[in-house]
Amino acid sequence: MAAPSDEEGAVGPRCHHRSTAMLDVPFLPFCAFLGTLGFLCVAMVGTWCQHWRGGFSLDGSSRTFNWHPVLMVTGLVVLYGAAALVYRIPNTWSGPKLPWKVLHGSLALGAFVLTVLGLAAVFRFHNSQGTPNMYSLHSWMGLGTVLLFSCQWAAGFGAFLLPWAPTWLRALYKPIHVFFGSTILMLSVASCVSGINEKLFFSLKNGTMDYKLLPAEAVFANTLGLLILIFGVLVVAALARPSWKRPDSDSPDSHQ
């Protein structure tokens, strides 16, 4: 069999280059789309709780519980996703790194505060209604995610923000921090989606509104779950994209 000519052999690389170029999306438009998607997720979970679940209060009733999904989606998914993408912004690739570290840590801390408030809401509701805590897979996965998140934030603060942390420790911990950042986000998405499904099973149980009949609330909440999943997948994809990573030559705090 004759060997392919240079022109024939170049067809494959050229086609691959074209397909890669067509799939190439600038970071800022992607970020704008992701921000819109995150805002939509927050707006939809708020609408679900307000329109179908009775609104919000702090009296220990089911309206207190409604703070739980809103705060969890806002903090543990959307705000946490924003914190994860800070170092993908091209402006962070030059100049002092400390302001971006502070922004990254502050966004993550804000996400953690909202998450703790969301946990407080569900525990208050359960305790006031006499419902056991921590009996479902959703609750186990959610609390495990929050505990892992708290360890991640504390370890990141100690390794990257405290001035006396040695360089070798930062270099050693950095890939671990990045790995668990993506892992926590996907666990957060899984916890939120399983929580939405669990709430629908518990709430839609009367005759004409059974979950299996797919009433309007079920369609709306299932769509919300899909959008949360898409948001999480897109954030992880952005974190894994090589062309959007901070250049290695600038990473070891050379400008700090």
Side-chain angles (χ1 to χ4, degrees):
M1 177 181 287
S5 65
D6 291 343
E7 183 178 350
E8 291 171 337
V11 170
R14 281 205 304 268
C15 291
H16 175 72
H17 178 72
R18 286 196 209 101
S19 63
T20 303
M22 285 189 294
L23 294 175
D24 190 26
V25 179
F27 177 79
L28 292 181
F30 174 85
C31 215
F33 170 77
L34 203 58
T36 303
L37 182 58
F39 177 81
L40 182 60
C41 289
V42 174
M44 286 185 68
V45 70
T47 301
W48 176 35
C49 293
Q50 180 66 45
H51 181 71
W52 279 286
R53 297 289 101 218
F56 305 91
S57 78
L58 299 175
D59 59 3
S61 66
S62 60
R63 293 185 300 164
T64 299
F65 172 87
N66 289 341
W67 287 107
H68 175 68
V70 171
L71 292 172
M72 288 303 192
V73 171
T74 304
L76 207 53
V77 176
V78 177
L79 200 56
Y80 185 86
L85 288 176
V86 163
Y87 289 118
R88 298 307 187 266
I89 300 173
N91 291 344
T92 68
W93 295 0
S94 61
K97 194 174 179 182
L98 183 59
W100 299 103
K101 284 186 177 185
V102 173
L103 177 61
H104 173 74
S106 299
L107 288 173
L109 181 60
F112 181 71
V113 170
L114 293 181
T115 300
V116 171
L117 293 175
L119 285 179
V122 71
F123 281 124
R124 175 174 171 77
F125 167 70
H126 283 174
N127 293 336
S128 66
Q129 301 296 316
T131 304
N133 293 306
M134 304 305 301
Y135 64 89
S136 67
L137 177 60
H138 162 68
S139 61
W140 292 2
M141 184 162 53
L143 186 60
T145 302
V146 175
L147 292 175
L148 190 59
F149 182 12
S150 62
C151 294
Q152 168 89 339
W153 193 91
F157 180 82
F160 300 122
L161 278 175
L162 294 182
W164 54 80
T167 303
W168 65 265
L169 177 62
R170 297 180 182 182
L172 177 66
Y173 178 62
K174 181 181 176 181
I176 300 173
H177 186 77
V178 171
F179 169 78
F180 277 105
S182 298
T183 300
I184 291 168
L185 178 61
M186 294 315 297
L187 286 173
S188 301
V189 169
S191 299
C192 288
V193 170
S194 65
I196 290 170
N197 195 242
E198 182 179 284
K199 182 62 176 177
L200 290 174
F201 272 119
F202 286 160
S203 301
L204 301 180
K205 293 190 296 187
N206 63 41
T208 59
M209 296 295 290
D210 281 352
Y211 188 18
K212 64 184 178 182
L213 299 178
L214 203 63
E217 180 181 356
V219 173
F220 188 89
N222 286 347
T223 302
L224 168 63
L226 286 176
L227 292 180
I228 291 172
L229 180 61
I230 292 170
F231 179 89
V233 169
L234 289 179
V235 172
V236 172
L239 294 175
R241 189 180 182 119
S243 61
W244 288 350
K245 291 183 178 180
R246 184 184 177 95
D248 289 338
S249 60
D250 191 45
S251 59
D253 304 332
S254 57
H255 293 283
Q256 183 172 327

